[in-house]
Amino acid sequence: DDFEAGATRNPAHQSEQYQIMNGVSRFDTGEADPNYVMYDPLSQGGQANQNDLKLYNAMEYVTDDERSMYNYLYNQVSEKDADDYVNKYLLPAISKRNRYASFQERSKMADADLEEQYKIMNGTSRFDTGEADPEYVLYDPLSQGGQVDSRNLELYDKMEYVTDYERDTYNKLYSEDKEAAAEYVRTKLMPAINKRKQDELYQTGANMINPEDGESNGWRTVGANLMSVPLNLMSGIGSVDAAAQMLANKINGVDDPVDFNSDAFGAYNLKAGIRETTEEGIDSAAGRFFYGTGMSMLDSLATQALYMFPGATLLLGGSAATEAMIQGKKRGLSDEQAVIFGLSSGVAEALFEE
């Protein structure tokens, strides 16, 4: 839970806070039990302030610099300033560190999964040898030699996008620290290969308009743009995924960037490749305007055709949210700003369609 801030303090609690910050409180000496003091204040030498208990229980996340700053404020400035420092800065900061530590513990890979990740990175896994089927292993762990971590399955599916340099970097880290190598895969490698996969999807869409063999024609262009309409409706899942990533980061105290190249953005990038390449091939500004207007009308008509289904307008709202997020990032918005901008645009679009 988030720490409470701004509680009214009395001198006894101020003193206890100081003792907790310096490791000499009644809880440190064994005079009182921090798990019991809230319920029996008389036998425990007086009821403790809840913020003090939370501070005591999270002292492992307080740094020496933070303790020094607190002591300076308490001894040289005022007890109130020291208390404000704890409530307004320190407690929220160590709460975030506490949540991040819990997240790290929950997401830690088992030794067997770390070893499997190494084999996947080097092409010697049970999926490479044919011992197990990656499409089946999650559903029948006994006959498949043990259930696999879903993160390893995703990595296996995208190994074609891994470079030799990245494999060498991973292997060096693995030889020194297996968990550091896994963190490299999570925070560095997967975002990089996700980007390459989404770039490939975009190029696939572009090639539908301007094929590599140069044999472009009007019917091909019309067909590709018609296909982009359902792709546009499906693209809203990208905005949902981005919002879910941001929310999970906040809950877990993680500072990871939002991955706007996750698999959820596949429909968007395929559609973008089709439409942007088509628009680039139109010479006049008027032609580009009419093309954009026409595609917007088709998107709207497709949504109206689905009005018999509950929440149909959310499809168009979701696609607008995804588009706004991507454009927001291109214009320099932070991840959080881009997600909020995208969700706001999606809501406005959905209301307009209603």
Side-chain angles (χ1 to χ4, degrees), residues 18 82 98 115 151 157 262 272 281 293:
Y18 178 82
N98 189 4
E115 292 173 7
R151 292 168 291 186
D157 288 338
S262 69
T293 302

Side-chain angles (χ1 to χ4, degrees), residues 46-66:
Q47 189 164 351
N49 178 274
Q50 287 191 3
N51 273 6
D52 287 344
L53 285 178
K54 291 175 180 178
L55 177 62
Y56 174 79
N57 288 326
M59 276 302 295
E60 64 183 294
Y61 302 109
V62 176
T63 68
D64 290 339
D65 286 343
E66 288 166 337

Side-chain angles (χ1 to χ4, degrees), residues 162-231:
V162 176
T163 67
D164 290 340
Y165 174 79
E166 288 166 335
R167 183 180 292 105
D168 291 342
T169 300
Y170 169 85
N171 286 337
K172 184 177 186 302
L173 286 170
Y174 187 87
S175 68
E176 299 169 354
D177 185 336
K178 295 179 181 179
E179 291 183 0
E183 186 70 0
Y184 167 75
V185 170
R186 185 183 75 83
T187 61
K188 303 294 184 183
L189 182 59
M190 291 308 298
I193 62 181
N194 281 344
K195 175 71 165 58
R196 291 170 201 147
K197 181 177 180 180
Q198 293 306 314
D199 287 346
E200 184 178 81
L201 283 171
Y202 181 94
Q203 190 59 47
T204 297
N207 288 342
M208 292 180 183
I209 307 303
N210 290 330
E212 294 179 347
D213 60 15
E215 296 182 6
S216 179
N217 61 68
W219 289 113
R220 183 198 295 265
T221 299
V222 170
N225 276 277
L226 287 176
M227 188 181 77
S228 76
V229 174
L231 286 173

Side-chain angles (χ1 to χ4, degrees), residues 3-276:
F3 290 105
E4 300 168 3
T8 302
R9 308 284 285 170
N10 62 42
H13 289 151
Q14 294 278 75
S15 177
E16 182 145 75
Q17 182 186 82
Y18 178 82
Q19 292 171 355
I20 289 171
M21 283 294 293
N22 291 279
V24 293
S25 72
R26 51 183 167 154
F27 311 129
D28 295 288
T29 62
E31 178 186 344
D33 182 350
N35 296 316
Y36 190 59
V37 70
M38 291 299 296
Y39 306 101
D40 191 356
L42 296 180
S43 66
Q44 291 291 320
Q47 189 164 351
N49 178 274
Q50 287 191 3
N51 273 6
D52 287 344
L53 285 178
K54 291 175 180 178
L55 177 62
Y56 174 79
N57 288 326
M59 276 302 295
E60 64 183 294
Y61 302 109
V62 176
T63 68
D64 290 339
D65 286 343
E66 288 166 337
R67 182 180 293 104
S68 296
M69 174 59 73
Y70 171 83
N71 286 334
Y72 168 77
L73 292 171
Y74 188 91
N75 294 311
Q76 303 295 327
V77 183
S78 72
E79 294 181 3
K80 181 183 183 304
D81 285 311
D83 187 56
D84 286 344
Y85 172 72
V86 170
N87 286 328
K88 295 178 181 178
Y89 165 74
L90 188 58
L91 289 178
I94 60 180
S95 172
K96 182 178 180 180
R97 292 169 204 161
N98 189 4
R99 296 197 305 274
Y100 179 68
S102 298
F103 166 74
Q104 288 285 76
E105 187 62 30
R106 292 194 309 273
S107 61
K108 186 181 295 184
M109 299 180 77
D111 287 343
D113 291 321
L114 291 172
E115 292 173 7
E116 182 147 70
Q117 185 179 82
Y118 175 81
K119 292 177 181 178
I120 289 172
M121 284 293 293
N122 290 280
T124 59
S125 72
R126 49 185 164 151
F127 311 128
D128 296 288
T129 62
E131 179 186 344
D133 182 351
E135 302 295 331
Y136 191 58
V137 70
L138 278 175
Y139 306 100
D140 191 357
L142 296 180
S143 66
Q144 292 291 321
Q147 189 164 349
V148 68
D149 189 300
S150 60
R151 292 168 291 186
N152 281 345
L153 276 182
E154 183 181 7
L155 175 62
Y156 175 79
D157 288 338
K158 297 176 180 177
M159 278 302 297
E160 64 184 292
Y161 303 104
V162 176
T163 67
D164 290 340
Y165 174 79
E166 288 166 335
R167 183 180 292 105
D168 291 342
T169 300
Y170 169 85
N171 286 337
K172 184 177 186 302
L173 286 170
Y174 187 87
S175 68
E176 299 169 354
D177 185 336
K178 295 179 181 179
E179 291 183 0
E183 186 70 0
Y184 167 75
V185 170
R186 185 183 75 83
T187 61
K188 303 294 184 183
L189 182 59
M190 291 308 298
I193 62 181
N194 281 344
K195 175 71 165 58
R196 291 170 201 147
K197 181 177 180 180
Q198 293 306 314
D199 287 346
E200 184 178 81
L201 283 171
Y202 181 94
Q203 190 59 47
T204 297
N207 288 342
M208 292 180 183
I209 307 303
N210 290 330
E212 294 179 347
D213 60 15
E215 296 182 6
S216 179
N217 61 68
W219 289 113
R220 183 198 295 265
T221 299
V222 170
N225 276 277
L226 287 176
M227 188 181 77
S228 76
V229 174
L231 286 173
N232 183 62
L233 295 179
M234 293 165 56
S235 68
I237 192 173
S239 62
V240 175
D241 181 71
Q245 288 183 56
M246 188 179 77
L247 179 61
N249 285 345
K250 288 188 174 296
I251 291 173
N252 294 319
V254 178
D255 292 325
D256 290 350
V258 174
D259 187 359
F260 292 98
N261 292 296
S262 69
D263 289 342
F265 286 86
Y268 170 82
N269 282 300
L270 187 56
K271 175 215 72 172
I274 293 170
R275 295 190 180 183
E276 290 178 9

